[in-house]
Amino acid sequence: MKKFLAALVVVFITSSLSGQDLMVTGPDRNLKVIVSLKRGKPMYRVTYKEKIMLEESPLGFVSNIGDFSAGMTYVSHKENLIDKTYTQDRIKKSRIRYQANELTCTFANADHKKIEVVFRVSNHDIAFRYVIPKEGETGSCVIIREVTGFDFPSYTTTFLTPQSDAMIGWKRTKPSYEEEYKADAPLGEPSQYGHGYTFPCLFRIGNDGWVLVSETGVGSNYCASRLNDATDQGLYTLAFPMPEENNGNGTASPGLALPGSTPWRTLTVGETLKPIVETTIPWDVVEPLYETEHAYRFGRGTWSWILWQDNSINYDDQVKYIDLAAAMGYEYVLIDNWWDTRIGRERMKSLIEYARSKKVDVFLWYSSSGYWNDIEQGPVSRMDNPVIRKKEMKWLHTLGVKGIKVDFFGGDKQETMRLYEAILSDADDNGLMVIFHGCTLPRGWERMYPNYVGSEAVLASENLIFNQHFDDNEAFNACLHPFIRNTVGCMEFGGTLLNKRHNRTNDSGTVRKTTDIFQLATAVLFQNPIQNFALAPNNLTDVPAFEIDFMKEIPTTWDEIYFIDGYPGKYCVLGRRHDNRWYVVGINAEKKPLELKVKLPMFAGKEAVMYDDDKKGVPRMKNITVPENGEVRLVIQPQGGVIYKDLFTK
């Protein structure tokens, strides 16, 4: 039966060998990929329920061992069925079944050298990559450029964030995936800096559906990629890092040992946004790179730096935040930059002992390097050198430190990808979890690296402290992330700010425009297995007790996600389940109240706790009973939120 099914899902569309088209579909036959050769150039196109999602787009690459983008001929193809079930403890679902049909097309160039193009197609996801065999004595190659492209219909609009110039920004640390998005922009609009757009990239195909483009499986084996600006015809092609990144250190072109393969490029396709919000394709097509002997514990943390800034990195203030973590029942405290000089390495031992006496464990901040930017915040020059790094991590292990936050990478070159992987691997040897900041997008890393626990790679909460513009646009940005950035990987945002003013004394600085319930909702809306919330000691007494109670019990790992309604940049309503408890949260970025009638099957006929805002933005909480049909009417105030959660406490 399986062989029969495989023969059905890969079919010839035309019978001429020179003009042969191959089609592979998802298991339910709605999503189709058609592969063809046009004048010697490999191409592919995508339809969903017979509607065009992607027009004919180029495949192939140019390398130092040959041109595999033109002058190609068809050699053969084979098909396979993929059906696997796996568990994962740090993404949006804990148990996943991945079913896909696989098509492998073999092409040869004018010199008779071969490559394979492998497509895996599930009901809503496409993953494809190039496989390069070893032929003769040639054991390696450099990919000079990929022609891989994505040609969208002319009526497409875009939701994209630009790649910045290299070596700009704070201490010349960019690019760091922290630029602003434009929503529903015209197809082909030039990027802000002229360097294209960072993954993931969301496209609305008129009234026909949505496509999310990204990549996964990038480790030390390749560079990270992005999309170039589109041509006049709406074609986006893959771009490699800029030579100037990381102060010019490292090559912009990736190298492969042969036989070898490129990372997977992914497309998630749907008539609605539900398949995009719920996709697991970044983890479906990758595997763990190493086993760990450690049982890592995920959870919540406090950190002084977000509100109290650099001056708080002293012994006494860190004690205050350790005490806050203990009062909240949180597992961690994050001690940020300058601890090596402002507290001192000798005193860190007693501070960590104090934290552990309070049943709180410690994460410590590090700079990623000392030679490709101008960062002076310490510790510096301890993570980029393998000899120093191993010694440092062994010292951290002896102190009982549980994790590190490594900052300011500033590049996507293969050399930088190797550094990410080396830090993770060495950290695991010493039982350390790793958070990355000032960094690239994670690309399947939750599954590839057992001690990886999150990346920033977003315009995160620190910007709310630095500039009022970001507070004014907080709701808009928060309504983007569940559809774009956070759908493909952990997002270490550092949010849930309950101070009205963003400073130590809650009386000056930038002004928060969103409501308290909005902030509570983002604790569920944003997914990361280690959540360092931006709470302050004063919040224990200056916000309603039910808000603190909510934050005391909030989980950080999830077993299921359920998208309900939303539109990028306007509003979002989704549910997450941890064990047997459901949370449904909604936020509204619009300037008027949002009224929705939605079905919440997880609460049908049950008692629940509801949190929302009144018309003046005052937070409130009440117990309700959801009708047997699960249908409820939500009213979400401007820049406000709503939360439903199961009534039971365990």
Side-chain angles (χ1 to χ4, degrees), residues 373-384:
N373 56 45
D374 302 324
I375 288 300
E376 57 186 15
Q377 286 90 341
V380 299
S381 300
R382 308 204 72 80
M383 287 294 133
D384 54 302

Side-chain angles (χ1 to χ4, degrees), residues 273-508:
L273 287 157
K274 187 176 179 67
I276 286 170
V277 175
E278 297 181 1
T279 185
T280 56
I281 192 61
W283 310 283
D284 294 339
V285 293
V286 300
E287 298 294 340
L289 295 184
Y290 52 81
E291 294 183 358
T292 183
E293 63 183 32
H294 305 286
Y296 292 114
R297 181 176 66 148
F298 313 120
R300 297 79 44 88
T302 63
W303 57 316
S304 69
W305 183 89
I306 186 61
L307 284 173
W308 292 12
Q309 296 286 287
D310 286 350
N311 288 338
S312 70
I313 309 303
N314 62 73
Y315 195 99
D316 292 340
D317 280 348
Q318 293 313 304
V319 166
K320 292 182 176 67
Y321 268 80
I322 291 167
D323 290 345
L324 173 61
M328 295 297 296
Y330 285 2
E331 292 80 5
Y332 298 105
V333 64
L334 166 64
I335 303 175
D336 222 283
N337 57 195
W338 295 120
W339 60 263
D340 58 328
T341 55
R342 298 191 178 188
I343 298 174
R345 299 172 75 88
E346 293 300 321
R347 293 196 77 196
M348 286 305 300
K349 180 178 180 181
S350 65
L351 185 61
I352 292 166
E353 288 174 350
Y354 176 78
R356 298 184 74 179
S357 75
K358 294 284 187 174
K359 298 183 179 179
V360 175
D361 282 313
V362 174
F363 272 69
L364 292 182
W365 184 96
Y366 282 85
S367 169
S368 68
S369 82
Y371 69 90
W372 57 67
N373 56 45
D374 302 324
I375 288 300
E376 57 186 15
Q377 286 90 341
V380 299
S381 300
R382 308 204 72 80
M383 287 294 133
D384 54 302
N385 182 293
V387 175
I388 297 173
R389 182 173 61 239
K390 290 175 185 294
K391 182 178 179 181
E392 186 80 1
M393 290 182 175
K394 185 176 181 180
W395 175 72
L396 293 172
H397 178 73
T398 62
L399 290 183
V401 172
K402 297 301 182 183
I404 56 176
K405 171 185 172 181
V406 189
D407 210 339
F408 300 124
F409 286 84
D412 278 336
K413 293 177 179 177
Q414 187 171 10
E415 178 173 295
T416 318
M417 298 301 112
R418 290 194 189 104
L419 178 59
Y420 283 113
E421 187 168 284
I423 290 172
L424 284 159
S425 178
D426 286 349
D428 181 68
D429 288 344
N430 291 279
L432 299 170
M433 293 177 281
V434 182
I435 297 168
F436 294 120
H437 264 232
C439 58
T440 194
L441 179 77
R443 292 162 163 88
W445 292 357
E446 297 92 333
R447 183 148 179 80
M448 294 162 64
Y449 307 107
N451 56 325
Y452 166 78
V453 292
S455 293
E456 184 184 29
V458 69
L459 198 64
S461 62
E462 62 191 35
N463 295 281
L464 301 170
I465 315 303
F466 298 153
N467 192 311
Q468 185 63 43
H469 165 78
F470 299 113
D471 290 272
D472 296 341
N473 289 277
E474 181 185 9
F476 166 76
N477 286 311
C479 286
L480 291 172
H481 302 323
F483 304 101
I484 311 175
R485 164 64 182 89
N486 206 186
T487 196
V488 300
C490 293
M491 188 176 78
E492 217 285 305
F493 187 84
T496 309
L497 297 99
L498 295 180
N499 272 18
K500 301 295 185 184
R501 302 293 296 271
H502 293 149
N503 76 331
R504 180 169 183 144
T505 50
N506 202 10
D507 58 3
S508 63

Side-chain angles (χ1 to χ4, degrees), residues 546-559:
F546 69 79
E547 295 183 18
I548 296 300
D549 290 341
F550 179 90
M551 291 305 298
K552 283 181 176 180
E553 65 181 29
I554 194 73
T556 64
T557 57
W558 303 99
D559 296 293

Side-chain angles (χ1 to χ4, degrees), residues 560-609:
E560 190 174 351
I561 185 172
Y562 186 85
F563 177 66
I564 297 166
D565 200 358
Y567 192 91
K570 295 183 178 180
Y571 71 101
C572 183
V573 184
L574 63 77
R576 295 191 194 272
R577 178 177 61 83
H578 175 83
D579 291 337
N580 294 321
R581 166 166 269 182
W582 276 97
Y583 292 77
V584 170
V585 298
I587 59 171
N588 175 21
E590 298 287 79
K591 294 182 179 179
K592 60 182 181 180
L594 175 67
E595 297 187 20
L596 297 172
K597 187 178 288 186
V598 300
K599 284 200 171 181
L600 307 180
M602 66 287 290
F603 292 119
K606 297 168 62 177
E607 287 188 276
V609 184

